[in-house]
Amino acid sequence: MGIGDGTLAVGAGRPEAENYAPSLPGPVFASHFHLAGEASGPYTYGRDTNPTWTLLEGAIGELEGGAEVVSFSSGMAAVSAVLLSQVRVGDVVVMPGDCYQVTRVLKERLESYGAVVRMAPTAGDAQIALVGGARLVWLESPSNPGLDVCDIARVVEAAHAAGALVAVDNTLATPLGQRPLDLGADFSVASDTKALSGHGDLLIGHVATRDPELAEAVRFWRKTVGAIPGPMEAWLAHRSLATLQLRLERQAANALAVAEALRGRVSGLRYPGLPDDPAHAVAARQMRRFGCVVSFTLPSEEAAERFLGSLRLVMQATSFGAVHSSAERRGRWGGDAVEPGFVRFSAGIEDTQDLVADVLQALPSPSPRER
Ligand SMILES: *Cc1c(COP(=O)(O)O)cnc(C)c1O
């Protein structure tokens, strides 16, 4: 029997007890370290290594179920590190057509480097049909913002049989919600800007893998592009992990309560934790928590803007996963195939009854015809 997630999160990456030392040493600010003689040792230059990253990477490695972790300055730095360090001229990459919109922008970058990019939707494991001859299969499950899910183990099996590596963007779930490496993936990648750090006050990301050579390739990529996290951000992220299980529990409970309150009042309601959601069966098999994001559609852009403007406890902002609930009309960015009234709602840690009451008061009252 392993320890519980709360116990794991609160102690993750903390050094052995030592008298007069803090339980989590503060951020180490150093561009270079004392280094007389030989040019080797654990800490040499601040773009290569930093003791604050070492502790954070150890902690996230524990949450991932045991893995080498390389932390980055943002989620996109982590995503790019895998895609751009692994793919060469002529390689085939399979990507989800409905993944995070900035990841999708990398399609053109990869093509400009001579790679071939094939795309298929997340739902229904559609990427399996495209894995023949691929070097890398990129998954995002649940997808942002559509909240579709694929059967990760099933896609991994098909991809590995075809000789391809698999990377999963696990941002939405976090490692306490889903462990891609345990499902067979080669890389688990995330924007820890979102639920993992969870306070909406920093950007950071990571890549986790159990293959030392892949870890080394990603670490070398970080060194050469310099996409390193600041020590302060790394320390804040590590400090935030202590409450990860508590936050995720409340956020998932709030998301489910909001989704249930919205049932019948909106169209296109999606939350993988809803028993009748199209993704629920697969999600329940591979996820331990269903996350904090609910998506739905109101009849028009105006209706969605009115709803957002009427919320009192929910900040209007992009991003998700923070302790404060937030929501936005996703179509305002123009990059996602969503309707004008599509809302992405991120449940925070407010009291459930307060959050549900706020959402209900902000909804348009049903028209007489609908009543
Ligand atoms: C936000 C996000 C990213 C990018 O992360 P940043 O920290 O903003 O760079 C990547 N993937 C997913 C699924 C995201 O939601």
Side-chain angles (χ1 to χ4, degrees), residues 21-328:
S23 78
L24 181 65
V28 175
F29 297 105
S31 55
H32 48 223
F33 300 83
H34 286 295
L35 188 68
E38 301 255 320
S40 70
Y43 302 108
T44 54
Y45 186 60
R47 182 166 25 74
D48 300 352
T49 45
N50 175 289
T52 311
W53 309 346
T54 306
L55 292 175
L56 173 67
E57 291 171 349
I60 298 176
E62 288 178 38
L63 300 182
E64 292 273 10
E68 274 194 64
V69 169
V70 186
S71 57
F72 285 89
S73 50
S74 68
M76 278 318 300
V79 168
S80 302
V82 172
L83 281 167
L84 302 178
S85 73
Q86 294 305 311
V87 177
R88 307 268 181 284
V89 171
D91 282 347
V92 172
V93 186
V94 181
M95 292 175 74
D98 51 349
C99 64
Y100 175 58
Q101 55 172 270
V102 186
T103 301
R104 216 172 327 116
V105 169
L106 284 172
K107 175 180 189 281
E108 275 99 80
R109 170 83 46 198
L110 289 163
E111 286 168 348
S112 77
Y113 292 164
V116 177
V117 179
R118 302 174 183 156
M119 286 188 157
T122 298
D125 306 341
Q127 288 170 288
I128 287 181
L130 307 181
V131 300
R135 156 80 184 154
L136 178 68
V137 177
W138 190 268
L139 305 177
E140 186 179 301
S141 182
S143 61
N144 167 23
L147 301 178
D148 270 319
V149 162
C150 63
D151 184 333
I152 294 173
R154 186 165 171 257
V155 181
V156 164
E157 199 181 301
H160 283 175
L165 294 170
V166 179
V168 179
D169 184 331
N170 198 41
T171 298
L172 208 138
T174 84
L176 292 192
Q178 170 172 277
R179 287 197 176 133
L181 301 178
D182 287 353
L183 298 168
D186 302 283
F187 296 101
S188 172
V189 184
S191 166
D192 302 328
T193 308
K194 315 285 172 54
L196 195 85
S197 68
H199 289 67
D201 53 9
L202 60 90
L203 283 101
I204 197 161
H206 81 267
V207 175
T209 176
R210 291 176 182 159
D211 180 324
E213 279 177 30
L214 294 179
E216 197 40 48
V218 168
R219 200 174 289 114
F220 187 68
W221 175 266
R222 177 178 68 182
K223 174 185 168 116
T224 55
V225 302
I228 58 169
M232 191 69 197
E233 281 78 0
W235 179 79
L236 280 169
H238 195 163
R239 183 186 193 274
S240 305
L241 294 183
T243 55
L244 179 61
Q245 185 264 2
L246 285 175
R247 286 185 280 112
L248 293 182
E249 290 289 321
R250 173 67 71 84
Q251 287 176 278
N254 279 352
L256 183 62
V258 165
E260 276 167 352
L262 288 169
R263 194 195 288 283
R265 306 284 306 269
V266 297
S267 62
L269 177 64
R270 295 298 305 267
Y271 180 62
L274 274 178
D276 56 347
D277 187 275
H280 183 72
V282 177
R285 251 184 285 138
Q286 66 192 13
M287 299 183 76
R288 292 147 71 211
R289 295 179 176 84
F290 299 110
C292 62
V293 181
V294 177
S295 66
F296 55 93
T297 303
L298 291 171
S300 63
E301 174 176 340
E302 294 69 34
E305 291 295 344
R306 254 195 322 275
F307 168 75
L308 294 168
S310 305
L311 291 164
R312 298 182 188 120
L313 300 178
V314 180
M315 75 191 270
Q316 290 196 58
T318 193
S319 196
F320 58 85
V323 286
H324 306 95
S325 291
S326 66
E328 73 168 333

Side-chain angles (χ1 to χ4, degrees), residues 332-346:
R332 65 180 173 165
W333 300 101
D336 295 309
V338 294
E339 293 191 47
F342 179 96
V343 174
R344 186 181 68 188
F345 187 100
S346 172

